[in-house]
C-alpha cells in the first residue's frame, strides 16, 4: 500500500525507492534478520508497484552513532563473503537480465482510493467520538480487500482527476474540501460508483461542521440522513446481515434514515436494530454506497467483489492464490505480470494465457498452473 | 454518590445540576450514545438526591473547537426532529406535571459518611504503604453498601454538626484534624455509633504522624493499638471470618492488639493469623468499630446491615430490588419516594403503603408489588 | 549478588552495609512487612558475603516528609515493645555471641564474573538489535547458576588481576576495553577457562565497532566468526541440543562459523538450523567457550557445572539443598560456613565434616544431615 500511495502522490509516474534495507533495521524493538529471499522479494515488489530504481541504505555499515546496527551491503566484517552481500549481488544479476524492459511502465487501475492528509490530520485532532479511529487502518481495510482480490488500485487526492475510474472508494471522508462534493456528484451522475463510510461528510476544509444533517454535502448523493453516531469499545460489537451472511459492526455505528437510498443491510442488535447499516443510492447514471460501521475483512472482500463485478465490470488480474501478490505494469514494450509469493511454502497460480518469464527467458504455456518456490518472484511478459 | 456528596458540601440544601449531557460526552475514549430513557432517568436521579434544577450542556451543538462532538439539545441538523430533542421535550412536560411539589425538599438521613478533601490530598501524597489506596474507592465501598440497602446517607465534613446522626462512617480517616477526635469522642460517648478502618488516626492536620501508637487520637475511642501495617499486592489476599462467613482482606492489613475492644473477626492466614480484623469497643453510651483491612461488597453489605439494624435502629426505605434505586425527599408539602430502575429489564418493587404517582396522577394501593419498565422512574407521594 | 558485586568493587575487602531496613521500605508499590526472621536472615546474608557491619536505616521513624512510612528500629509508637524492635535486639545478642570471630574474613573464589559499568552504559545506549537486552539480567543468569551450585564467585572489573582464578565468565562482553583482550588471551593461554556469550567483542572503549568480523579482538581466542545477529521477540524462541538435552535459544541468536572452535550444540530451527549455538576453542593451555544465544536456568546450571567440574576442578562448598544458600568466609581464626535457609519450610543440609555452631556453641558431628528451621541461619566454624 505504501508503494501504491507513493505512486499516487506522484501522479502515477514511476518512482524511486530511496532506502531499501539489506537486512535488519536497527530501530525496531526486535531487529529480526530479513530471512533469505525476502530482500529480493520486497525489492521486486517495489518495482511491481511502479519503482524504476531500488537504492539501498547503507553501503557500508557505520562503526559509530545510532545506525551502526542498521544492516548494510558491506557489513562490519568488510568483505563480500556474507549472505546479505551475496543476495544483493544476485539481485543485481537479475536486474541486468531484465534490462530496461519495465522502465517507465505504469500501473493501470480502474478503481481509486481517496486518501487525503488534511482529512487524516483533522481526524487525529477530533475530540470524540472514539479514540480508536485510525484513518490509515480504515484505508487499509478497503485496500486489503482490493489486494486480496488481485484488483489494481490507484490512490487519488482532492486535486486528482477521476476521469479514468469506474469506482471511487473514500473511507471515512470526514472532511469534504470545497468543491469535492461537486466532483463526486458529477462522477456519480456520469455513471461512476462511489463508496464511502461512517463519519463522512462531517466538516469542511476549515474543520467546521457542515450543519443541516450528516453527511453534509454528500447527503443528496448518498440519499441518507445520519441522525446519531454510536461509539463501541473494543470488546463490543453490533452486527448486520448482508447478502445472507452476518458481519460485525464495530468502532462507530451511524444511526441513519434513508432519503431515497435503499438499505442493503440492517443492524441486528441494540436499540437501533433494524436501522440501515449498508445503503445504496441510484444517483444519475451511477450509484453511491454507504457503509455505516466498521466491519471485518470478510465483509470488505465480499462487498468490494460485488461492487466491482456487478456495478463496475472490474475483474481480477488473476484468480486469487492466498499469499501470492499479483501486479501488472505496462509500457510501450509490453505488459509485465509480477507474481510475488509471500508464503513460506510452495504456491500454485493458474495462468490463463501464455507468457515469457523475463528472468529465466523461458516460455510458459497458458491454461496451466505454475509453481512458485517460497518467497519466489516471477516477472511474466504477456503475449 | 456525586449528588449526595455535592448536597453534603452545600450543607444539605437543594442544589442545581449545571451540566446534564443530552446524550454523548465527547471526551470519553468511546463516546457511546445515552440509550433511550437514560437521560431522563439520570435527570430524575439528580432531583431525587436533592437537585431543584437540571440544566443542560449544550443548547446547540457547536460547529468548531474541542466540544463540537459533545451532544446538545439541538443537534448539528438544526431541527427538533431527533430522538434526543424529543426525549428532552418529554422530560420538560413531566416537569410541568410535577410543578413545584418537590422544590426545597431535603433528604433525611440518620447515617453520615465523613469525607474530607485534606484527608484525600494527604493520602495522595504519602510515599507508602501502597500505591493502590484510593480514598474515593474506600468511600465508595461503604457508600455502595448503604445504596444497596436503600439507606439514605449524608456526607459530612470536619465542620459539620453530628447532632442528628445515629451512625458516622469514616473510611480511612487518615488525617484527624484538630479537635475532630474530640467531636467523635463526644458523639460516641453520647450514644453514637462510629465506624472507621485501617490507616486511620495516623497524621494531624499538618500531615505529621501522631506518635504514641496508631490510631493516634482515636486509640482510646476504638480501644485498639495498631502495631504494624502490611500492604498486599493486587493478586494476594488474606481473609477473616465474620458472623460465620469468610470474607477477603485486601490492600492493607493492620496488625493490631485490642485494648478494651472486642474482636469480631480474625485473620485466617500468614504470620498474623489470629490477630483481630474487625473490632468493636463500647465507649460511653455508644460503640466504635474498626475494620482493619479492605474487604468486598458482600462484607460491607452484611456489616453495615448489622450495624444499622442492631446498633442504630436504622431501617431501609424499602425492601431491596437489585438495580432499583430508592430515594426519599421531604418538604412541607409531603414525602416523595423516587424509584429509579437502572435495569434493562422490568423490575418489581414491593410497596407497603399506598401513595400517589406524581407523574401519572394515579393512586397506588399499598401492600402490593408495582412493576417498573426498563429505565423507568416513579415519583410517589406518600400518604 | 549485590553483596558480591560490592565486595568486588572494593577489591575483596570486607564492607559495611549502610542501610539495612528493619521491616518495610516505603517506596515500593506495595510495602509488605518483612516477615518474622527475614531481617535477621538478610543481615547474616550480608555478613556471609563479606560485610563486617550491618547498620540500620532508620533508628526512629520520622513523623514527617517522604520517609515517614519507612520502617525504623523504634516505631512511631516510641517504645521497644514491638516485633521489629525485639527481632533487632535479638540479632544484637547474637552478634555479641559471635564477637569478632568473622571480622576481616574474606570470601575465597576460584571463579570470577566480569562486570563493567561502561559496558552496561554502552549496551543501554545501543539502538538495536533488541530493546530487551538487560546487562544485569545477563549477569544474573550466570550468577544464579553459581549460586544454585554453591560455588563462590568474585566480581572483577577491567583493572582487576585474574591471577587467582581458574574460570572467568564474561556475559555479553560487548565492549572490550583497550588491552583487555590481551589480558584474556594471556589468562587462557596460561590455562584459564573463559566463557563469553552472544553480542560480545563488538565495540572498543570508545563505543566504536571493531571491524573485521565479530567478535572483534576476541575472535582468535574464541576461534569463531559471527556473521549475523538475529533478534527474537519475547514470544519466539529457537532451541539447541547440548549434552543430549534440548534448551531454548532466546533474545539474540548469533549466526556463527567456527574457525578452529568445536561446536558443542547447534540451532534446531529456522534458516540457521545446524549452525553452532555453543562452541569451545582450545587456546594455549586453556579453553574459551562461546554461548551464542540466551538460554534458561537449566542450561546455565548444567553448562557451568560441566565447565567447573571437567575443566576447572571447582567443586561446590556443599551438596545443593534448594533454597538454602551456602557461603564460606575465612580469616586467620578459621573458616566459617554460613547456611541461610530462604525457604518457608524446614530444610535439611548434609554436612560432611564436623563443626562448631558459633551461635549456640554446640558441636555438630559430620557425616549427617542437619535441619534448619524456616528462615533460620547457622554459622558453622569448620574443624
Amino acid at each position: 500500500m505504501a508503494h501504491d500511495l507513493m505512486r499516487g502522490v506522484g501522479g502515477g509516474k514511476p518512482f524511486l525507492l530511496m532506502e531499501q534495507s539489506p537486512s535488519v533495521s536497527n530501530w525496531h524493538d526486535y531487529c529480526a534478520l530479513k530471512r533469505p529471499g525476502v530482500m529480493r522479494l520486497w525489492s521486486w515488489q517495489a518495482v511491481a508497484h511502479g519503482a524504476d530504481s531500488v537504492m539501498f541504505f547503507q553501503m557500508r555499515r557505520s562503526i559509530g552513532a545510532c545506525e551502526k546496527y542498521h544492516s548494510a551491503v558491506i557489513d562490519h566484517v568488510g568483505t563480500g563473503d556474507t549472505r546479505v552481500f551475496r543476495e544483493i549481488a544476485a539481485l543485481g544479476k537479475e536486474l541486468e537480465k531484465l534490462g530496461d524492459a519495465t522502465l517507465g511502465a505504469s500501473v493501470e487501475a480502474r478503481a481509486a482510493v481517496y486518501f487525503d492528509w488534511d482529512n487524516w490530520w483533522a481526524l487525529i485532532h477530533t475530540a470524540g467520538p472514539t479514540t480508536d479511529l485510525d484513518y490509515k487502518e480504515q484505508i487499509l481495510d478497503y485496500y486489503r480487500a482490493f489486494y486480496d482480490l488481485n484488483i489494481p488500485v490507484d490512490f487519488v487526492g482532492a486535486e486528482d482527476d477521476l476521469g479514468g475510474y469506474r469506482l471511487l472508494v473514500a473511507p471515512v471522508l470526514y472532511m469534504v474540501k470545497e468543491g469535492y462534493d461537486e466532483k463526486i456528484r458529477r462522477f456519480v451522475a456520469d455513471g461512476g460508483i462511489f463508496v464511502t463510510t461512517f463519519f463522512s461528510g462531517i466538516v469542511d476544509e476549515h474543520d467546521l461542521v457542515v450543519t443541516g444533517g450528516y453527511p453534509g454535502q454528500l447527503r443528496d448523493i448518498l440519499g441518507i440522513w445520519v441522525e446519531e453516531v454510536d461509539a463501541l469499545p473494543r470488546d463490543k460489537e453490533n452486527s448486520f446481515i448482508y447478502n445472507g451472511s452476518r458481519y460485525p459492526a464495530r468502532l462507530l455505528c451511524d444511526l441513519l434514515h434513508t432519503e431515497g437510498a435503499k438499505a442493503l443491510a440492517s443492524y441486528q442488535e441494540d436499540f437501533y436494530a433494524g436501522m440501515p447499516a449498508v445503503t445504496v443510492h441510484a444517483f444519475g447514471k451511477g450509484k453511491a454506497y454507504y457503509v455505516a460501521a466498521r466491519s471485518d475483512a470478510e465483509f470488505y472482500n465480499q462487498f468490494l467483489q460485488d461492487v466491482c463485478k456487478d456495478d463496475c465490470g472490474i475483474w481480477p488480474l488473476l484468480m486469487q492464490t492466498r499469499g501470492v501478490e499479483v501486479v501488472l505494469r505496462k509500457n510501450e514494450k509490453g505488459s509485465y505480470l509480477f507474481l510475488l509469493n509471500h508464503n513460506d511454502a510452495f504456491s500454485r497460480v493458474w495462468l490463463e494465457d501464455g507468457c515469457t518469464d523475463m528472468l529465466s527467458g523461458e516460455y510458459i504455456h497458458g491454461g496451466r498452473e505454475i509453481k512458485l518456490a517460497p518467497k519466489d518472484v516471477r516477472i511474466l511478459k504477456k503475449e
Side-chain angles (χ1 to χ4, degrees), chain A:
Chain A
M1 182 174 118
H3 294 322
D4 281 353
L5 182 56
M6 287 305 107
R7 191 185 68 242
V9 165
K13 292 197 296 271
F15 60 92
L16 174 154
L17 176 57
M18 279 185 61
E19 298 195 348
Q20 170 69 300
S21 179
S23 181
V24 291
S25 295
N26 71 305
W27 42 265
H28 292 291
D29 281 351
Y30 310 99
C31 303
L33 297 169
K34 271 189 183 165
R35 267 48 197 165
V38 170
M39 179 276 302
R40 172 182 177 249
L41 177 69
W42 293 359
S43 298
W44 283 121
Q45 185 186 40
V47 174
H49 285 271
D52 271 359
S53 312
V54 175
M55 293 172 66
F56 284 85
F57 176 84
Q58 48 193 334
M59 176 54 90
R60 271 188 175 279
R61 213 165 184 177
S62 60
I63 63 161
C66 66
E67 289 190 309
K68 64 179 180 289
Y69 299 122
H70 191 289
S71 60
V73 176
I74 300 167
D75 207 326
H76 288 135
V77 71
T79 73
D81 185 25
T82 63
R83 174 183 73 92
V84 169
F85 187 91
R86 285 188 296 268
E87 289 195 27
I88 294 172
L91 177 64
K93 291 250 183 302
E94 287 190 338
L95 285 168
E96 273 177 39
K97 266 188 216 158
L98 187 64
D100 60 0
T102 61
L103 289 189
S106 61
V107 172
E108 275 183 14
R110 299 177 67 213
V113 175
Y114 180 83
F115 190 99
D116 180 59
W117 268 262
D118 298 317
N119 190 43
W120 190 359
W121 295 330
L123 283 167
I124 286 171
H125 294 293
T126 61
T130 172
T131 53
D132 274 359
L133 177 56
D134 179 322
Y135 182 52
K136 259 189 318 178
E137 275 182 23
Q138 299 305 317
I139 296 288
L140 200 53
D141 276 352
Y142 286 84
Y143 180 85
R144 193 175 284 126
F146 284 121
Y147 176 98
D148 286 345
L149 293 166
N150 292 337
I151 292 173
V153 291
D154 281 344
F155 280 93
V156 294
E159 312 289 316
D160 293 313
D161 186 33
L162 300 175
Y165 301 109
R166 283 290 298 140
L167 174 61
L168 174 66
V169 178
V172 194
L173 182 52
Y174 172 70
M175 170 183 285
V176 178
K177 291 179 166 178
E178 194 171 339
Y180 203 69
D181 58 310
E182 189 48 30
K183 204 167 191 172
I184 297 169
R185 200 172 280 111
R186 279 200 311 270
F187 172 75
V188 181
D190 291 351
I193 307 299
F194 173 60
V195 174
T196 190
T197 72
F198 60 88
F199 215 44
S200 290
I202 308 292
V203 296
D204 66 17
E205 68 188 81
H206 306 291
D207 199 26
L208 295 175
V209 173
V210 176
T211 55
Y214 319 126
Q217 290 121 322
L218 307 175
R219 193 169 163 183
D220 63 314
I221 306 171
L222 293 157
I224 58 168
W225 167 48
V226 174
E227 182 182 339
E228 299 182 72
V229 182
D230 196 24
L232 277 60
R234 287 180 204 186
D235 57 352
K236 226 188 126 189
E237 62 181 40
N238 207 313
S239 66
F240 58 83
I241 292 179
Y242 168 82
N243 259 355
S245 295
R246 180 184 291 258
Y247 299 100
R250 295 170 177 156
L251 192 72
L252 290 178
C253 291
D254 281 349
L255 278 56
L256 67 85
H257 308 274
T258 55
E259 295 179 332
K262 183 184 145 198
L264 299 177
S266 302
Y267 293 113
Q268 298 295 303
E269 282 129 71
D270 218 325
F271 76 93
Y272 45 93
M275 293 187 91
V278 182
T279 64
V280 61
H281 187 224
F283 184 86
K285 298 179 193 159
K287 289 181 180 178
Y289 286 90
Y290 192 79
V291 181
R294 191 185 193 189
S295 193
D296 67 4
E298 285 182 52
F299 169 73
Y300 295 119
N301 276 334
Q302 188 59 53
F303 173 68
L304 286 185
Q305 190 172 32
D306 294 346
V307 168
C308 285
K309 197 175 65 176
D310 300 340
D311 294 321
C312 308
I314 297 176
W315 299 93
L317 291 173
L318 279 188
M319 215 167 64
Q320 191 180 340
T321 299
R322 195 178 185 80
V324 178
E325 186 179 352
V326 178
V327 199
L328 188 70
R329 279 187 78 180
K330 284 184 189 178
N331 60 12
E332 66 292 349
K333 296 177 201 154
S335 291
Y336 305 92
L337 196 64
F338 289 76
L339 305 182
L340 304 152
N341 184 13
H342 295 283
N343 296 316
D344 287 322
F346 280 87
S347 302
R348 291 166 184 284
V349 175
W350 178 264
L351 271 191
E352 196 54 45
D353 306 312
C355 50
T356 304
D357 185 319
M358 297 292 288
L359 299 179
S360 71
E362 184 195 357
Y363 182 80
I364 301 175
H365 291 274
R368 46 167 289 220
E369 254 184 8
I370 59 165
K371 200 169 144 188
L372 279 86
K375 307 293 179 201
D376 203 5
V377 174
R378 296 286 179 93
I379 307 170
L380 306 175
K381 186 173 181 183
K382 297 182 84 169
E383 289 297 279

